[in-house]
Amino acid sequence: LVLDVERGSPADRARLRPGDVIVEIVDSTISDLDDFRAAAERYRDRDKNIAILIRRGDLTSYVTVDPRDRE
């Protein structure tokens, strides 16, 4: 569950919002915080876009985060 999104961050620009549920990052299923931390570490230095499957209310969709998109 996304609790907060830093303004101006790559996640903010990808339109992730508090309340979104992260279901999958690239090809890693996210079931709990440990899964999220492991995927975040695995893709920390990635130089390609990161596909994140989210659930927002009744809608499930992908958002794309560009990890190089930093202000």
Coordinates of all heavy atoms in Angstrom, one line a residue:
L1 N 0.8 -1.2 0.0 CA 0.0 0.0 0.0 C 0.9 1.2 0.0 O 1.8 1.4 0.8 CB -0.9 0.0 1.2 CG -1.8 1.2 1.4 CD1 -2.9 1.2 0.3 CD2 -2.5 1.2 2.8
V2 N 0.7 2.1 -0.9 CA 1.4 3.4 -1.0 C 0.9 4.3 0.1 O -0.3 4.6 0.1 CB 1.3 4.0 -2.4 CG1 2.0 5.3 -2.4 CG2 1.9 3.1 -3.5
L3 N 1.7 4.7 1.0 CA 1.3 5.7 2.0 C 1.6 7.1 1.7 O 0.8 8.0 2.1 CB 2.0 5.3 3.3 CG 1.7 3.9 3.9 CD1 2.4 3.6 5.2 CD2 0.2 3.7 4.1
D4 N 2.7 7.3 1.0 CA 3.1 8.7 0.7 C 3.9 8.7 -0.6 O 4.5 7.7 -0.9 CB 3.9 9.3 1.8 CG 4.2 10.8 1.7 OD1 3.3 11.5 1.1 OD2 5.2 11.2 2.1
V5 N 3.8 9.8 -1.4 CA 4.6 9.9 -2.6 C 5.3 11.3 -2.5 O 4.6 12.3 -2.4 CB 3.7 9.8 -3.9 CG1 4.6 10.0 -5.1 CG2 3.0 8.5 -3.9
E6 N 6.6 11.2 -2.6 CA 7.4 12.5 -2.5 C 7.1 13.3 -3.8 O 7.2 12.9 -4.9 CB 8.9 12.2 -2.4 CG 9.7 13.4 -2.3 CD 11.2 13.0 -2.1 OE1 11.5 11.9 -1.7 OE2 12.0 13.9 -2.5
R7 N 6.7 14.6 -3.5 CA 6.4 15.5 -4.6 C 7.7 15.7 -5.5 O 8.8 15.9 -5.0 CB 6.0 16.8 -4.0 CG 5.5 17.7 -5.1 CD 5.0 19.0 -4.5 NE 4.4 19.7 -5.6 CZ 3.4 20.5 -5.6 NH1 2.7 20.6 -4.4 NH2 2.9 21.1 -6.6
G8 N 7.5 15.6 -6.8 CA 8.5 15.7 -7.8 C 9.4 14.5 -8.0 O 10.3 14.5 -8.8
S9 N 9.1 13.4 -7.3 CA 9.9 12.2 -7.5 C 9.4 11.4 -8.7 O 8.4 11.7 -9.3 CB 9.6 11.3 -6.3 OG 8.3 10.8 -6.3
P10 N 10.2 10.5 -9.2 CA 9.8 9.7 -10.3 C 8.4 9.0 -10.1 O 7.6 8.9 -11.0 CB 10.9 8.6 -10.5 CG 12.1 9.3 -9.9 CD 11.6 10.1 -8.8
A11 N 8.1 8.6 -8.9 CA 6.8 8.0 -8.6 C 5.7 9.0 -8.7 O 4.6 8.7 -9.2 CB 6.8 7.4 -7.2
D12 N 6.0 10.2 -8.3 CA 5.0 11.3 -8.4 C 4.7 11.6 -9.9 O 3.6 11.7 -10.3 CB 5.5 12.5 -7.7 CG 4.5 13.7 -7.8 OD1 3.3 13.5 -7.6 OD2 4.9 14.8 -8.0
R13 N 5.8 11.7 -10.7 CA 5.6 11.9 -12.1 C 4.9 10.8 -12.8 O 4.3 11.0 -13.9 CB 6.9 12.3 -12.8 CG 7.3 13.7 -12.4 CD 8.5 14.2 -13.2 NE 9.7 13.6 -12.7 CZ 10.4 13.9 -11.6 NH1 9.9 14.8 -10.8 NH2 11.5 13.3 -11.3
A14 N 5.0 9.6 -12.3 CA 4.3 8.4 -12.9 C 2.9 8.3 -12.4 O 2.1 7.4 -12.8 CB 5.1 7.1 -12.5
R15 N 2.5 9.3 -11.5 CA 1.2 9.4 -11.0 C 0.8 8.3 -10.0 O -0.4 8.0 -9.8 CB 0.1 9.5 -12.1 CG 0.4 10.7 -13.0 CD -0.8 11.1 -13.8 NE -0.6 12.1 -14.8 CZ -0.5 13.4 -14.5 NH1 -0.7 13.8 -13.3 NH2 -0.3 14.3 -15.4
L16 N 1.8 7.7 -9.2 CA 1.4 6.9 -8.1 C 0.8 7.8 -7.0 O 1.2 8.9 -6.9 CB 2.7 6.2 -7.6 CG 3.1 5.0 -8.3 CD1 4.5 4.5 -7.9 CD2 2.2 3.8 -8.1
R17 N -0.1 7.2 -6.3 CA -0.9 8.0 -5.3 C -1.0 7.2 -4.0 O -1.1 6.0 -4.0 CB -2.2 8.4 -5.8 CG -2.2 9.2 -7.1 CD -1.7 10.6 -6.7 NE -1.6 11.4 -7.9 CZ -0.4 11.8 -8.5 NH1 0.7 11.5 -7.9 NH2 -0.4 12.6 -9.5
P18 N -1.1 8.0 -2.9 CA -1.4 7.3 -1.6 C -2.7 6.5 -1.8 O -3.6 7.0 -2.4 CB -1.5 8.4 -0.6 CG -0.7 9.5 -1.2 CD -0.8 9.4 -2.7
G19 N -2.7 5.3 -1.3 CA -3.8 4.4 -1.4 C -3.7 3.4 -2.5 O -4.4 2.4 -2.5
D20 N -2.8 3.6 -3.5 CA -2.5 2.6 -4.5 C -1.9 1.4 -3.9 O -1.2 1.5 -2.9 CB -1.5 3.1 -5.5 CG -2.1 4.2 -6.4 OD1 -3.3 4.4 -6.5 OD2 -1.3 4.9 -7.1
V21 N -2.3 0.2 -4.4 CA -1.8 -1.0 -3.9 C -0.8 -1.5 -5.0 O -1.2 -1.7 -6.2 CB -2.9 -2.1 -3.6 CG1 -2.2 -3.4 -3.2 CG2 -3.8 -1.6 -2.6
I22 N 0.4 -1.7 -4.7 CA 1.4 -2.2 -5.6 C 1.3 -3.8 -5.7 O 1.5 -4.4 -4.7 CB 2.9 -1.8 -5.3 CG1 2.9 -0.3 -5.3 CG2 3.9 -2.5 -6.2 CD1 4.3 0.3 -4.9
V23 N 1.0 -4.3 -6.8 CA 0.7 -5.7 -7.0 C 2.0 -6.4 -7.6 O 2.3 -7.5 -7.2 CB -0.5 -5.9 -8.0 CG1 -0.7 -7.4 -8.3 CG2 -1.7 -5.2 -7.4
E24 N 2.7 -5.7 -8.5 CA 3.8 -6.3 -9.2 C 4.8 -5.2 -9.6 O 4.4 -4.1 -10.0 CB 3.3 -7.0 -10.4 CG 4.3 -7.9 -11.1 CD 3.7 -8.6 -12.3 OE1 3.2 -9.7 -12.0 OE2 3.6 -8.0 -13.4
I25 N 6.1 -5.5 -9.5 CA 7.1 -4.6 -10.0 C 7.9 -5.4 -11.0 O 8.5 -6.4 -10.6 CB 8.0 -4.0 -8.9 CG1 7.2 -3.2 -7.9 CG2 9.2 -3.2 -9.5 CD1 8.0 -2.7 -6.7
V26 N 7.9 -5.0 -12.3 CA 8.5 -5.6 -13.4 C 7.9 -7.1 -13.4 O 6.8 -7.3 -13.8 CB 10.0 -5.6 -13.4 CG1 10.6 -6.3 -14.6 CG2 10.5 -4.1 -13.3
D27 N 8.7 -8.1 -13.0 CA 8.2 -9.4 -13.0 C 8.1 -10.0 -11.6 O 8.0 -11.2 -11.4 CB 9.0 -10.3 -13.9 CG 10.5 -10.3 -13.5 OD1 10.9 -9.7 -12.5 OD2 11.3 -11.1 -14.1
S28 N 8.2 -9.1 -10.6 CA 8.2 -9.6 -9.2 C 6.8 -9.3 -8.5 O 6.4 -8.2 -8.4 CB 9.2 -8.9 -8.4 OG 10.5 -9.1 -8.9
T29 N 6.1 -10.4 -8.1 CA 4.9 -10.2 -7.3 C 5.2 -9.6 -6.0 O 6.1 -10.0 -5.3 CB 4.2 -11.6 -7.2 OG1 3.9 -12.1 -8.5 CG2 2.9 -11.4 -6.4
I30 N 4.3 -8.6 -5.6 CA 4.5 -7.9 -4.3 C 3.4 -8.3 -3.4 O 2.2 -8.0 -3.7 CB 4.5 -6.4 -4.5 CG1 5.6 -6.0 -5.6 CG2 4.8 -5.7 -3.2 CD1 7.0 -6.4 -5.3
S31 N 3.7 -9.1 -2.4 CA 2.7 -9.6 -1.4 C 2.8 -8.9 -0.1 O 1.8 -8.8 0.7 CB 2.8 -11.1 -1.2 OG 2.6 -11.8 -2.4
D32 N 4.0 -8.3 0.2 CA 4.1 -7.7 1.5 C 5.3 -6.7 1.4 O 5.9 -6.5 0.3 CB 4.4 -8.7 2.6 CG 5.5 -9.6 2.3 OD1 6.5 -9.2 1.6 OD2 5.5 -10.8 2.8
L33 N 5.6 -6.0 2.5 CA 6.7 -5.0 2.5 C 8.1 -5.6 2.2 O 8.9 -5.0 1.5 CB 6.7 -4.3 3.9 CG 7.6 -3.1 4.0 CD1 7.3 -2.1 2.9 CD2 7.5 -2.5 5.4
D34 N 8.3 -6.8 2.6 CA 9.6 -7.5 2.3 C 9.7 -7.7 0.8 O 10.8 -7.5 0.3 CB 9.7 -8.8 3.0 CG 9.9 -8.7 4.5 OD1 10.4 -7.6 5.0 OD2 9.6 -9.6 5.3
D35 N 8.7 -8.1 0.1 CA 8.7 -8.3 -1.3 C 9.0 -6.9 -2.0 O 9.8 -6.8 -2.9 CB 7.4 -8.8 -1.9 CG 7.1 -10.2 -1.5 OD1 8.1 -11.0 -1.1 OD2 6.0 -10.7 -1.7
F36 N 8.3 -5.9 -1.5 CA 8.6 -4.5 -2.1 C 10.0 -4.1 -1.9 O 10.6 -3.6 -2.8 CB 7.6 -3.5 -1.4 CG 7.9 -2.1 -1.9 CD1 7.5 -1.7 -3.1 CD2 8.7 -1.3 -1.1 CE1 7.8 -0.4 -3.6 CE2 9.0 0.0 -1.5 CZ 8.5 0.5 -2.8
R37 N 10.5 -4.3 -0.7 CA 11.9 -3.8 -0.4 C 12.9 -4.6 -1.3 O 13.9 -4.0 -1.8 CB 12.2 -4.0 1.1 CG 11.6 -3.0 1.9 CD 11.9 -3.2 3.4 NE 11.4 -2.1 4.2 CZ 10.9 -2.3 5.4 NH1 11.0 -3.5 6.0 NH2 10.4 -1.3 6.1
A38 N 12.7 -5.9 -1.5 CA 13.6 -6.7 -2.3 C 13.5 -6.2 -3.8 O 14.6 -6.1 -4.4 CB 13.2 -8.2 -2.2
A39 N 12.3 -6.0 -4.3 CA 12.2 -5.5 -5.7 C 12.8 -4.1 -5.8 O 13.5 -3.8 -6.8 CB 10.7 -5.5 -6.1
A40 N 12.6 -3.3 -4.8 CA 13.1 -1.9 -4.9 C 14.7 -2.0 -4.9 O 15.3 -1.2 -5.7 CB 12.7 -1.1 -3.7
E41 N 15.2 -2.8 -4.2 CA 16.7 -3.0 -4.1 C 17.2 -3.6 -5.5 O 18.2 -3.1 -6.0 CB 17.1 -3.9 -3.0 CG 18.6 -4.1 -2.9 CD 19.4 -2.8 -2.6 OE1 18.8 -1.9 -1.9 OE2 20.5 -2.6 -3.0
R42 N 16.5 -4.6 -6.0 CA 16.8 -5.2 -7.2 C 16.8 -4.2 -8.4 O 17.7 -4.3 -9.3 CB 15.9 -6.3 -7.5 CG 16.2 -7.2 -8.7 CD 15.3 -8.4 -8.9 NE 15.0 -9.0 -7.6 CZ 13.8 -9.2 -7.1 NH1 12.7 -8.8 -7.8 NH2 13.5 -9.8 -6.0
Y43 N 15.9 -3.3 -8.4 CA 15.8 -2.4 -9.5 C 16.3 -1.0 -9.2 O 16.1 -0.1 -10.0 CB 14.3 -2.3 -10.0 CG 13.8 -3.7 -10.4 CD1 12.9 -4.4 -9.7 CD2 14.4 -4.3 -11.5 CE1 12.4 -5.6 -10.1 CE2 14.0 -5.6 -11.9 CZ 13.0 -6.2 -11.2 OH 12.6 -7.5 -11.6
R44 N 17.0 -0.8 -8.1 CA 17.4 0.5 -7.7 C 18.3 1.2 -8.7 O 18.2 2.4 -9.0 CB 18.2 0.4 -6.4 CG 18.9 1.7 -5.9 CD 19.6 1.5 -4.6 NE 18.8 0.9 -3.6 CZ 17.8 1.5 -2.8 NH1 17.6 2.7 -3.0 NH2 17.2 0.8 -1.9
D45 N 19.2 0.5 -9.4 CA 20.2 1.1 -10.3 C 19.8 0.9 -11.8 O 20.6 1.0 -12.7 CB 21.6 0.6 -10.1 CG 22.1 1.0 -8.7 OD1 21.8 2.2 -8.3 OD2 22.8 0.2 -8.0
R46 N 18.5 0.5 -12.0 CA 18.1 0.2 -13.3 C 18.1 1.5 -14.2 O 17.7 2.5 -13.7 CB 16.6 -0.4 -13.2 CG 16.1 -0.9 -14.6 CD 14.7 -1.5 -14.3 NE 14.0 -1.8 -15.5 CZ 13.8 -3.1 -15.9 NH1 14.2 -4.1 -15.2 NH2 13.1 -3.3 -17.0
D47 N 18.5 1.3 -15.4 CA 18.5 2.5 -16.3 C 17.4 2.5 -17.3 O 17.4 3.3 -18.3 CB 19.9 2.6 -17.0 CG 20.2 1.4 -17.9 OD1 19.5 0.4 -17.8 OD2 21.2 1.5 -18.6
K48 N 16.4 1.5 -17.2 CA 15.3 1.5 -18.0 C 14.0 1.7 -17.2 O 14.0 1.6 -16.0 CB 15.1 0.1 -18.7 CG 16.3 -0.3 -19.5 CD 16.1 -1.6 -20.3 CE 15.7 -2.7 -19.4 NZ 15.6 -4.0 -20.1
N49 N 12.9 2.0 -17.9 CA 11.7 2.2 -17.2 C 11.3 1.0 -16.4 O 11.6 -0.1 -16.8 CB 10.5 2.6 -18.2 CG 10.7 3.9 -18.8 OD1 11.4 4.8 -18.3 ND2 10.0 4.2 -19.8
I50 N 10.6 1.2 -15.3 CA 10.1 0.2 -14.4 C 8.6 0.1 -14.5 O 7.9 1.1 -14.2 CB 10.6 0.5 -13.0 CG1 12.1 0.5 -12.9 CG2 10.0 -0.6 -12.0 CD1 12.6 1.0 -11.6
A51 N 8.1 -1.0 -14.9 CA 6.6 -1.2 -15.0 C 6.1 -1.7 -13.6 O 6.6 -2.6 -13.0 CB 6.3 -2.3 -16.0
I52 N 5.1 -1.0 -13.1 CA 4.5 -1.3 -11.8 C 3.0 -1.5 -12.0 O 2.3 -0.6 -12.5 CB 4.8 -0.2 -10.8 CG1 6.3 0.0 -10.6 CG2 4.1 -0.5 -9.5 CD1 6.7 1.2 -9.7
L53 N 2.6 -2.7 -11.6 CA 1.1 -3.0 -11.7 C 0.5 -2.5 -10.3 O 1.0 -2.9 -9.3 CB 0.9 -4.5 -11.9 CG -0.5 -4.9 -12.0 CD1 -1.2 -4.3 -13.2 CD2 -0.6 -6.5 -12.0
I54 N -0.5 -1.6 -10.4 CA -1.1 -1.1 -9.2 C -2.6 -1.4 -9.3 O -3.2 -1.6 -10.3 CB -0.9 0.4 -9.1 CG1 -1.6 1.2 -10.2 CG2 0.6 0.7 -8.9 CD1 -1.7 2.6 -9.9
R55 N -3.2 -1.4 -8.1 CA -4.7 -1.5 -8.0 C -5.1 -0.2 -7.3 O -4.6 0.1 -6.2 CB -5.1 -2.7 -7.2 CG -6.6 -2.9 -7.2 CD -7.0 -4.3 -6.5 NE -6.4 -4.5 -5.2 CZ -5.5 -5.5 -5.0 NH1 -5.2 -6.3 -5.9 NH2 -5.0 -5.6 -3.8
R56 N -6.0 0.5 -7.9 CA -6.5 1.8 -7.4 C -8.0 1.6 -7.4 O -8.7 1.7 -8.5 CB -6.1 2.9 -8.2 CG -6.5 4.3 -7.7 CD -6.0 5.4 -8.6 NE -4.6 5.5 -8.5 CZ -3.8 6.2 -9.4 NH1 -4.3 6.7 -10.5 NH2 -2.5 6.2 -9.2
G57 N -8.6 1.4 -6.2 CA -10.0 1.1 -6.2 C -10.3 -0.2 -6.9 O -9.7 -1.2 -6.7
D58 N -11.3 -0.1 -7.9 CA -11.7 -1.3 -8.7 C -10.8 -1.4 -10.0 O -11.0 -2.4 -10.7 CB -13.1 -1.1 -9.1 CG -14.1 -1.3 -7.9 OD1 -13.7 -1.9 -6.9 OD2 -15.2 -0.7 -8.0
L59 N -9.9 -0.5 -10.2 CA -9.1 -0.5 -11.4 C -7.7 -1.0 -11.2 O -7.0 -0.7 -10.2 CB -9.0 1.0 -11.9 CG -8.1 1.2 -13.2 CD1 -8.8 0.5 -14.4 CD2 -7.9 2.7 -13.4
T60 N -7.2 -1.9 -12.0 CA -5.9 -2.4 -12.0 C -5.2 -2.0 -13.3 O -5.8 -2.3 -14.4 CB -5.9 -4.0 -11.8 OG1 -6.6 -4.3 -10.6 CG2 -4.4 -4.5 -11.7
S61 N -4.0 -1.4 -13.2 CA -3.4 -0.9 -14.4 C -1.9 -0.8 -14.1 O -1.4 -0.8 -13.0 CB -3.9 0.4 -14.9 OG -3.7 1.4 -13.9
Y62 N -1.1 -0.7 -15.2 CA 0.3 -0.4 -15.1 C 0.6 1.0 -15.1 O 0.0 1.8 -15.8 CB 1.0 -1.1 -16.3 CG 1.2 -2.6 -16.1 CD1 0.3 -3.5 -16.7 CD2 2.3 -3.1 -15.3 CE1 0.5 -4.9 -16.5 CE2 2.5 -4.5 -15.2 CZ 1.6 -5.3 -15.8 OH 1.7 -6.7 -15.6
V63 N 1.6 1.4 -14.4 CA 2.2 2.7 -14.5 C 3.7 2.5 -14.8 O 4.2 1.4 -14.5 CB 2.1 3.6 -13.2 CG1 0.6 3.9 -12.9 CG2 2.7 2.9 -12.0
T64 N 4.3 3.4 -15.4 CA 5.7 3.3 -15.8 C 6.5 4.4 -15.0 O 6.2 5.5 -15.2 CB 5.9 3.4 -17.3 OG1 5.1 2.4 -17.9 CG2 7.4 3.2 -17.7
V65 N 7.5 3.9 -14.3 CA 8.4 4.9 -13.6 C 9.7 4.9 -14.3 O 10.3 3.9 -14.6 CB 8.6 4.4 -12.1 CG1 9.6 5.3 -11.4 CG2 7.2 4.4 -11.4
D66 N 10.2 6.1 -14.6 CA 11.5 6.3 -15.2 C 12.5 6.6 -14.0 O 12.4 7.7 -13.5 CB 11.5 7.4 -16.2 CG 12.8 7.6 -16.9 OD1 13.8 7.1 -16.4 OD2 12.8 8.4 -17.9
P67 N 13.3 5.7 -13.6 CA 14.2 5.9 -12.5 C 15.2 7.0 -12.8 O 15.8 7.5 -11.8 CB 14.8 4.6 -12.3 CG 14.8 3.9 -13.6 CD 13.5 4.4 -14.3
R68 N 15.4 7.3 -14.0 CA 16.4 8.4 -14.3 C 15.8 9.8 -14.3 O 16.5 10.8 -14.3 CB 16.9 8.2 -15.8 CG 17.6 6.8 -15.9 CD 17.7 6.4 -17.4 NE 16.3 6.2 -17.8 CZ 15.9 5.9 -19.0 NH1 16.8 5.7 -19.9 NH2 14.6 5.8 -19.3
D69 N 14.5 9.8 -14.1 CA 13.7 11.1 -14.1 C 13.7 11.7 -12.7 O 12.8 11.6 -12.0 CB 12.3 10.8 -14.6 CG 11.5 12.1 -14.7 OD1 12.1 13.2 -14.8 OD2 10.3 12.0 -14.9
R70 N 14.9 12.3 -12.3 CA 15.0 12.9 -11.0 C 15.2 14.4 -11.2 O 15.9 14.9 -12.1 CB 16.2 12.4 -10.3 CG 16.1 10.9 -9.9 CD 17.4 10.4 -9.4 NE 17.6 9.1 -8.8 CZ 17.2 8.0 -9.3 NH1 16.5 7.9 -10.3 NH2 17.5 6.8 -8.7
E71 N 14.6 15.2 -10.3 CA 14.8 16.6 -10.3 C 15.9 17.0 -9.4 O 16.3 16.4 -8.5 CB 13.5 17.3 -9.8 CG 12.4 17.3 -10.8 CD 11.2 18.1 -10.4 OE1 11.1 18.5 -9.2 OE2 10.4 18.3 -11.2

